[in-house]
Amino acid sequence: MNQAVAPDAESGVGTGVGTGVGTGVGTGVGTGAGTGAGPDGGACLREATASDVDRLAELEQASFGAEAWSRRLVFEELTGPHRRYFVAEAGGRVTGYAGLFLGLDSAEVMTVAVDPAWRGRGLGRRLMLALLTEAERAGKRRVMLEVAVGSEAAIGLYRSLGFAQIGRRRGYYQPSGRDALVMRLDLAPAGAAGVQPLM
């Protein structure tokens, strides 16, 4: 997983693992909902397509620098099997994106990146909620992610969504050699209260 830069850690999203993550989501993936004068500038979420690859490669570079995915890897992720990618878009410009790999019984957050000019407006949270909704819809039992040590805003966001640290990977991020924290969210069993669907 990339570093998962999502410094949008507002409070008040659920009370713990699998217990109502995503209260008040209803922001609309691909529906055009959520327009208006909110803190996110009226950004909408939609599914990413291969035509987004150049912009996503720009966001990668802006967010991760030397550790960014190459354009080719971004394209392979967008078009690969068992992947779901979403973008946040405002005024026709992509302002953030996030991706999920759907495994046998778990899902893994592959990356979360928000344009530096759009951070702190809740886009990282909205993108994460879209990924969690997809994992739950796909019947996955848990969601995993790695995040760079020291990425306090992102770590705070993930904890507020119910993720807990379960391990540490030494020297995971290259070329910096930074460690990664491994985090897990156990999703509610089928039929129990969990991530609210995006309307």
Side-chain angles (χ1 to χ4, degrees):
M1 172 185 168
N2 219 324
Q3 295 177 38
V5 169
D8 300 345
E10 300 84 7
S11 59
V13 178
T15 57
V17 175
T19 57
V21 174
T23 54
V25 178
T27 50
V29 171
T31 65
T35 59
D40 62 8
C44 300
L45 299 191
R46 64 169 173 81
E47 291 190 26
T49 68
S51 66
D52 295 313
V53 65
D54 289 332
R55 176 59 179 151
L56 301 192
E58 290 176 3
L59 289 175
E60 275 287 306
Q61 188 62 44
S63 297
F64 305 120
E67 295 169 347
W69 288 347
S70 67
R71 183 188 183 283
R72 177 178 177 180
L73 184 52
V74 170
F75 178 80
E76 289 174 355
E77 278 292 315
L78 286 179
T79 58
H82 313 296
R83 266 90 170 158
R84 295 301 305 275
Y85 275 78
F86 296 95
V87 298
E89 189 173 52
R93 183 167 178 80
V94 172
T95 55
Y97 85 110
L100 189 72
F101 173 77
L102 297 170
L104 290 177
D105 63 354
S106 65
E108 182 174 355
V109 176
M110 300 303 292
T111 192
V112 180
V114 175
D115 187 319
W118 283 79
R119 293 179 185 167
R121 304 189 191 192
L123 294 183
R125 179 176 298 280
R126 288 181 62 193
L127 287 162
M128 279 296 299
L129 289 169
L131 298 185
L132 297 181
T133 297
E134 284 302 306
E136 194 166 68
R137 283 178 177 165
K140 305 310 174 187
R141 297 180 180 178
R142 67 191 63 87
V143 180
M144 309 289 295
L145 62 79
E146 291 94 12
V147 60
V149 170
S151 298
E152 296 304 324
I155 293 167
L157 171 61
Y158 303 143
R159 285 180 174 153
S160 78
L161 291 169
F163 283 86
Q165 181 181 340
I166 61 167
R168 186 178 183 120
R169 292 184 175 164
R170 302 284 180 186
Y172 182 77
Y173 292 106
Q174 297 299 321
S176 71
R178 287 193 294 171
D179 293 354
L181 302 182
V182 181
M183 304 185 80
R184 182 179 74 196
L185 171 67
D186 293 320
L187 297 176
V195 178
Q196 291 187 357
L198 295 169
M199 307 302 282

